[in-house]
């Protein structure tokens, strides 16, 4: 043992040091530190301790001195070391944040880490850390569309009321059109999915025409009634309503949620409603297609069947859509509204207030 290092290992300390040595989950550095002290307590020389633990002589002396000064606790913790590079001053970090919140000084739509690092005189990694600490991501954009409908609250509560508490013995439908569905065929056949190789698809295509899907979602059951048509005028819309009128038993009231598309408010459509008094239209607020439940079905249809699909003719596309609707109706799920209308109205008003403050 080196001159000047004197310690006595009592029974309590010995028991505490035996624990990390016998525990297989203990970090390796704690194990050999404890072993150094247990072997040194047997009054053996430094060379014997080095041979038993497989560590350097200077390490043995360091941990013997640490135990003499701090006891067992000193062996189980590491001393803090100053960073290799001093942290960025708070004022410099604040300056980076302030510049990030403003448009860049060069011709660009947003700051990049390299551009900011060059202007601020910092490393790219430092800029990344500052942005992460302050939740800044200049390259990202969140799209929004605030409805400016003066009757937004009334229409929202009307539609949500139908979803949450539909009238007894009435049919509640969410109706809309998915227009201009393209019949896309690829110029070359793609390779199928293989192990270690994803499926391929040519970027160029041949368009063989378009169709419009009229669809109505039964809110209570989740079933979808759809019909493919060439166009989406008020004439096709009335034909779609007539098909529904024939299939629904007489005497049952029908409430329809739909958007403000011009074909839905055409004079002939209004005349059709006058001839069919059991039908009631509930228009969603302008720029609020997210309120229409059938839009969720359209998203699923696009993602699972239409996107990246190959259709050699309009007939093939219509058949694929009809098969998808048929499979969906085998196991439909009721539409359940969960959002709080008051929270939606509050968020909309707050969005207008923020826009006014910017302007």
């Amino acid at each position: 043992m080196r001159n000047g290092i004197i310690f006595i290992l009592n029974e309590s300390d010995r028991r505490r040091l035996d624990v990390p040595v016998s525990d297989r989950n203990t970090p390796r550095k704690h194990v050999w530190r404890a072993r150094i002290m247990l072997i040194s307590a047997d009054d053996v020389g430094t060379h014997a301790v080095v041979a038993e633990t497989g560590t350097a002589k200077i390490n043995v002396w360091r941990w013997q001195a640490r135990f003499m000064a701090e006891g067992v606790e000193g062996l189980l913790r590491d001393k803090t070391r100053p960073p290799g590079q001093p942290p960025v001053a708070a004022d410099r970090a604040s300056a980076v944040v302030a510049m990030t919140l403003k448009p860049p000084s060069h011709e660009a739509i947003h700051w990049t880490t390299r551009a900011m690092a060059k202007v601020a005189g910092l490393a790219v990694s430092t800029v990344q850390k500052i942005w992460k600490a302050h939740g800044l991501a200049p390259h990202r954009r969140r799209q929004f569309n605030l409805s400016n409908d003066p009757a937004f609250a009334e229409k929202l509560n009307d539609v949500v009321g139908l979803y949450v508490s539909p009238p007894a013995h009435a049919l509640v439908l969410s109706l809309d059109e998915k227009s201009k569905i393209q019949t896309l065929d690829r110029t070359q056949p793609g390779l199928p999915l293989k192990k270690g190789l994803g499926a391929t698809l040519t970027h160029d295509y041949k368009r063989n025409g378009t169709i419009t899907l009229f669809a109505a979602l039964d809110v209570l059951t989740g079933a979808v009634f759809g019909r493919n048509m060439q166009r989406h005028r008020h004439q096709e819309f009335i034909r779609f309503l007539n098909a529904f009128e024939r299939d629904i038993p007489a005497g049952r009231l029908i409430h329809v949620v739909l958007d403000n598309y011009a074909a839905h408010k055409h004079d002939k459509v209004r005349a059709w409603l006058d001839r069919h008094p059991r039908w009631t239209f509930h228009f969603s607020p302008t720029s609020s297609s997210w309120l229409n439940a059938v839009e969720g079905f359209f998203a699923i249809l696009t993602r699972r069947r239409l996107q990246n699909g190959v259709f050699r003719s309009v007939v093939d596309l219509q058949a694929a859509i009809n098969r998808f609707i048929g499979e969906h109706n085998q196991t439909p799920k009721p539409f359940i509204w969960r959002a709080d209308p008051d929270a939606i109205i509050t968020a909309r008003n707050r969005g207008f207030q923020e826009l006014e403050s910017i302007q």
Side-chain angles (χ1 to χ4, degrees):
M1 193 175 299
R2 191 173 61 173
N3 294 334
I5 298 178
I6 301 174
F7 64 87
I8 298 175
L9 191 65
N10 55 40
E11 289 299 323
S12 176
D13 291 340
R14 184 179 291 275
R15 286 194 299 269
R16 294 183 62 186
L17 293 175
D18 285 334
V19 172
V21 173
S22 59
D23 188 355
R24 298 179 61 182
N25 295 322
T26 302
R28 182 179 177 84
K29 60 183 179 180
H30 293 167
V31 173
W32 62 258
R33 292 173 191 174
R35 290 191 62 207
I36 288 175
M37 303 316 304
L38 291 173
I39 297 172
S40 299
D42 295 335
D43 197 17
V44 297
T46 302
H47 291 287
V49 178
V50 169
E52 287 289 335
T53 59
T55 186
K57 180 168 58 175
I58 188 67
N59 289 334
V60 173
W61 290 342
R62 177 188 299 120
W63 294 110
Q64 288 174 346
R66 176 80 66 85
F67 180 80
M68 185 181 70
E70 303 180 23
V72 177
E73 288 75 9
L75 303 179
L76 302 180
R77 66 172 181 84
D78 296 326
K79 285 188 175 181
T80 57
R81 297 177 177 85
Q85 188 173 6
V88 178
D91 55 344
R92 295 192 68 184
S94 300
V96 170
V97 173
M99 285 191 294
T100 306
L101 297 178
K102 298 178 180 179
S105 55
H106 57 288
E107 288 296 326
I109 60 174
H110 63 81
W111 284 101
T112 63
T113 54
R114 287 175 174 80
M116 179 60 70
K118 184 177 180 180
V119 173
L122 299 172
V124 173
S125 58
T126 303
V127 175
Q128 291 174 338
K129 292 177 181 178
I130 294 174
W131 282 0
K132 183 178 181 181
H134 291 82
L136 297 174
H139 65 286
R140 293 183 177 178
R141 293 290 187 275
R142 290 185 60 187
Q143 294 184 345
F144 72 96
N145 191 2
L146 296 176
S147 174
N148 56 4
D149 195 323
F152 177 83
E154 292 79 5
K155 292 181 179 180
L156 174 67
N157 288 319
D158 180 34
V159 173
V160 174
L162 285 175
Y163 291 157
V164 176
S165 181
H169 309 295
L171 180 63
V172 178
L173 301 175
S174 172
L175 188 151
D176 202 0
E177 306 92 8
K178 184 172 179 60
S179 61
K180 298 181 180 179
I181 305 176
Q182 301 187 69
T183 309
L184 301 182
D185 188 13
R186 302 295 162 174
T187 57
Q188 298 176 8
L191 297 176
L193 177 68
K194 296 181 180 179
K195 184 177 180 180
L197 180 65
T200 62
L201 199 69
T202 60
H203 72 279
D204 51 345
Y205 56 85
K206 298 181 292 184
R207 195 173 77 168
N208 298 321
T210 61
I211 63 171
T212 294
L213 172 64
F214 285 77
L217 172 71
D218 186 348
V219 174
L220 293 178
T221 65
V224 175
F225 176 81
R227 175 161 293 193
N228 299 300
M229 298 185 185
Q230 293 299 321
R231 304 178 69 177
H232 56 109
R233 306 168 298 172
H234 71 276
Q235 294 94 325
E236 287 77 18
F237 182 53
I238 292 176
R239 286 166 51 194
F240 183 68
L241 295 178
N242 285 329
F244 242 118
E245 174 68 17
R246 290 191 300 267
D247 294 340
I248 299 174
R252 190 175 185 185
L253 297 179
I254 305 172
H255 294 267
V256 182
V257 176
L258 67 172
D259 60 21
N260 296 272
Y261 183 53
H264 301 162
K265 297 182 176 182
H266 195 274
D267 292 339
K268 292 186 178 181
V269 175
R270 297 180 185 274
W272 187 92
L273 288 175
D274 294 337
R275 297 193 304 269
H276 301 81
R278 67 171 179 158
W279 286 74
T280 304
F281 281 4
H282 302 262
F283 293 100
S284 61
T286 56
S287 304
S288 301
S289 60
W290 48 268
L291 191 57
N292 207 345
V294 75
E295 293 292 344
F297 172 78
F298 286 156
I300 296 174
L301 171 65
T302 301
R303 186 170 60 252
R304 297 183 182 177
R305 190 62 187 92
L306 301 180
Q307 191 175 21
N308 299 329
V310 176
F311 309 101
R312 294 178 174 83
S313 66
V314 171
V315 176
D316 289 345
L317 176 59
Q318 291 176 341
I321 292 175
N322 292 335
R323 290 195 302 269
F324 185 87
I325 294 176
E327 290 184 359
H328 171 84
N329 290 337
Q330 291 178 3
T331 57
K333 295 181 180 180
F335 175 75
I336 301 176
W337 178 269
R338 302 184 185 278
D340 183 7
D342 295 333
I344 295 175
I345 296 173
T346 302
R348 170 182 173 269
N349 295 336
R350 184 171 61 250
F352 276 115
Q353 292 173 0
E354 292 177 355
L355 289 178
E356 291 175 355
S357 64
I358 295 175
Q359 295 172 355

